Amino acid sequence: MPTRTIAVCQSCGAQSPRWVGRCTTCGEWGSVVEEPVERGAPVASVAAPTATLAEHDPSDADRVPTGLPEVDLVLGGGLVRGSVVLLAGEPGIGKSTIALQVALRVGHDCGVLLVCGEEAPQQIRARAERLGPIPSGVRTLADPSLPGVLAAVASGEAAIVVVDSIQTVFDPELPSAPGSVTQVRECGARLARAARENGVTVILVGHVTKEGTVAGPRVLEHLVDVVVSFDGDRSGTVRMLRPLKNRFGPTDEVGFFEMATEGLVPIRDASAFLLADRCPGLPGSALAALVEGRRPFVSEIQALVQPSGVSVPRRNALGTDAARLSVLAAVLDRRAGVKLADHEVFVSAPGGLQASEPAADLAIALALMSAYRDVPVPEGLVAFGEVGLAGEIRRVVASDRRLAEAQTVGCTHALVPAGLEADVDGIELVRVRHVAEVLDVLEPSTAVRVLRS
Ligand code: TYD
Ligand code: MG
């Protein structure tokens, strides 16, 4: 009898009875593969015991601090016993490094098992030597087959099991290849159940690929307790750890790290890190007060404006939102008389943290005007606010936190939306209603007034 098969999208996990060239659920081309299905014998129904909601103790969430304050912040206070954490990110971003750093810290206090699916234990040992002392509580398991991993979880030897990566774990009873949606989903579900039953914390490392050809962590999101994404520009050194889902804590915290030779080093003062190489007093440079999650930081925004001979001049955004830059350039041209339609426009937020939130608009506008006029922005001035299509300056969230952070880096004045009601000691507000008013800040006479007011 031929094996019955089912078509499964490797990108989103949607199933259909027949193979199709394009997934009808997520629209991905060429992502559907046929996988065999095996049906087990029917199981007789058995009444399972139930409990009242009130009898459960909410303080049961027993946490193990990781020893890395930035990671604990993102997790909401540490790893919860019996929970499953999915650490997702692109290949090469640093997932194995941060998982190993956590293992090396917690290995001093409790047993940690590293399931080595991607790298050999010798390779991991070599990497660990650069990251810190190797505690005796850290053990390795070289074989990532599911029965072995489940047995290790059940043995109670380790309080924390790191599976690097879930795409390499396979159930030999399933006919599909490791990394396929069926394998990832089944192994993820069995590991999650084992974690809960044994009170062991399981960290699943999961690769996210842009192409979506490998079964992505998306099929796991619903069965884990915490999803943290690790991202950043791979060509740079800055990395961000953020919770996308957290059953035990907030999802608006963010941890900033720098990838150094001794592993991932937390960036405690993001503004100082971003502004370290700044040359003050140059045209085309402005300061933006931004937030990432709950964390405020001040970033430099640089702009370069060049006359262009082509009918559709370039708009190039590095570290800022490309679509917003095109709109902003058109708004400045139309509403503020800054003739950018025949200029090439380049904008960059150097340092590696994204300045893509709408609140960066006002600082980008200021940097563009400063570059266009070839006049520097007055020193000590920071800006934040969204620019609307009519050129109006709109309020944004977390103004107080932005102003307080700007003050800590030595800003004395803040260019803000006219409607903003805020009062922060030591920082003077320069209110603007419309983007055309921003030009006044660059007038030498006004600039003097702005800074003396
Ligand atoms: P890795 O953790 O292996 O990424 P992932 O598990 O997400 O695929 O780390 C990737 C890169 O980090 C690797 O190219 C080398 C670099 N790296 C450092 O710069 N410093 C270090 O201390 C370590 C361990 C890695
Ligand atoms: Mg890795």
Side-chain angles (χ1 to χ4, degrees):
M1 200 175 78
T3 323
R4 211 164 70 84
T5 61
I6 191 164
V8 183
C9 171
Q10 302 295 297
S11 177
C12 72
Q15 300 182 345
S16 52
R18 240 175 326 229
W19 184 87
V20 281
R22 185 183 189 193
C23 174
T24 49
T25 305
C26 70
E28 192 84 46
W29 285 96
S31 62
V32 177
V33 295
E34 286 190 272
E35 294 186 356
V37 264
E38 306 237 309
R39 274 178 174 274
V43 179
S45 57
V46 186
T50 60
T52 60
L53 181 59
E55 74 189 66
H56 299 287
D57 183 359
S59 64
D60 269 356
D62 180 5
R63 292 177 188 271
V64 182
T66 63
L68 295 163
E70 301 274 314
V71 177
D72 286 341
L73 180 78
V74 171
L75 292 172
L79 292 163
V80 174
R81 257 187 242 285
S83 73
V84 186
V85 178
L86 173 65
L87 175 59
E90 283 182 41
I93 205 76
K95 300 179 298 297
S96 301
T97 307
I98 198 153
L100 186 56
Q101 279 180 260
V102 168
L104 294 176
R105 295 292 183 101
V106 294
H108 288 287
D109 306 317
C110 58
V112 182
L113 180 73
L114 300 174
V115 179
C116 317
E118 302 254 328
E119 288 158 285
Q122 295 82 342
Q123 269 175 297
I124 296 174
R125 161 83 210 245
R127 183 189 295 220
E129 262 163 26
R130 284 193 287 130
L131 301 177
I134 303 175
S136 57
V138 181
R139 306 183 66 81
T140 58
L141 173 66
D143 176 17
S145 79
L146 185 67
V149 182
L150 288 175
V153 172
S155 75
E157 260 189 15
I160 294 165
V161 174
V162 179
V163 180
D164 190 359
S165 65
I166 182 64
Q167 274 100 354
T168 59
V169 180
F170 65 97
D171 180 351
E173 288 181 10
L174 287 177
S176 46
S180 65
V181 169
T182 313
Q183 283 281 8
V184 168
R185 192 170 27 208
E186 181 64 17
C187 294
R190 302 266 303 270
L191 283 166
R193 206 177 320 139
R196 281 176 202 124
E197 284 170 5
N198 297 287
V200 169
T201 306
V202 173
I203 301 176
L204 301 176
V205 173
H207 293 297
V208 184
T209 56
K210 287 217 174 90
E211 303 76 39
T213 45
V214 181
R218 281 172 61 184
V219 298
L220 293 172
E221 275 174 16
H222 66 283
L223 43 96
V224 302
D225 301 296
V226 181
V227 180
V228 282
S229 98
F230 202 41
D231 55 57
D233 180 2
R234 261 195 301 176
S235 58
T237 59
V238 176
R239 302 285 184 269
M240 273 158 285
L241 190 67
R242 7 164 171 250
L244 300 182
K245 159 183 173 175
N246 195 347
R247 286 187 178 149
F248 314 108
T251 50
D252 54 0
E253 293 292 357
V254 56
F256 297 138
F257 295 88
E258 188 186 7
M259 182 58 101
T261 42
E262 68 274 25
L264 288 149
V265 182
I267 302 173
R268 299 258 151 72
D269 188 345
S271 305
F273 177 85
L274 292 176
L275 300 177
D277 295 327
R278 180 169 183 254
C279 297
L282 298 179
S285 166
L287 295 180
L290 304 172
V291 291
E292 182 75 61
R294 289 181 50 75
R295 277 182 72 168
F297 63 95
V298 175
S299 173
E300 182 182 11
I301 303 286
Q302 294 184 326
L304 188 65
V305 171
Q306 272 293 91
S308 168
V310 296
S311 56
V312 187
R314 257 191 301 172
R315 270 86 182 90
N316 197 320
L318 270 175
T320 72
D321 189 295
R324 295 197 76 84
L325 176 60
S326 297
V327 173
L328 196 56
V331 169
L332 292 189
D333 189 289
R334 184 82 180 157
R335 313 283 183 206
V338 180
K339 291 294 158 202
L340 295 175
D342 51 3
H343 283 73
E344 302 208 302
V345 169
F346 305 92
V347 167
S348 154
L353 286 186
Q354 285 285 320
S356 44
E357 57 159 338
D361 286 355
L362 191 53
I364 297 174
L366 185 60
L368 283 169
M369 288 172 170
S370 161
Y372 180 78
R373 289 265 178 107
D374 208 23
V375 174
V377 173
E379 240 350 88
L381 183 72
V382 69
F384 64 86
E386 181 180 349
V387 177
L389 288 184
E392 81 281 13
I393 313 295
R394 312 175 74 97
R395 282 172 294 172
V396 291
V397 295
S399 300
D400 288 343
R401 249 179 284 146
R402 295 174 202 267
L403 288 168
E405 179 69 11
Q407 209 221 351
T408 64
V409 298
C411 292
T412 53
H413 291 74
L415 194 64
V416 297
L420 177 70
E421 283 175 25
D423 195 11
V424 170
D425 276 349
I427 198 152
E428 196 82 40
L429 301 186
V430 182
R431 294 187 160 87
V432 275
R433 195 166 296 284
H434 192 271
V435 75
E437 295 168 31
V438 178
L439 280 169
D440 292 345
V441 176
L442 298 171
E443 293 295 332
S445 58
T446 328
V448 172
R449 216 171 53 237
V450 164
L451 289 178
R452 290 219 182 116
S453 64

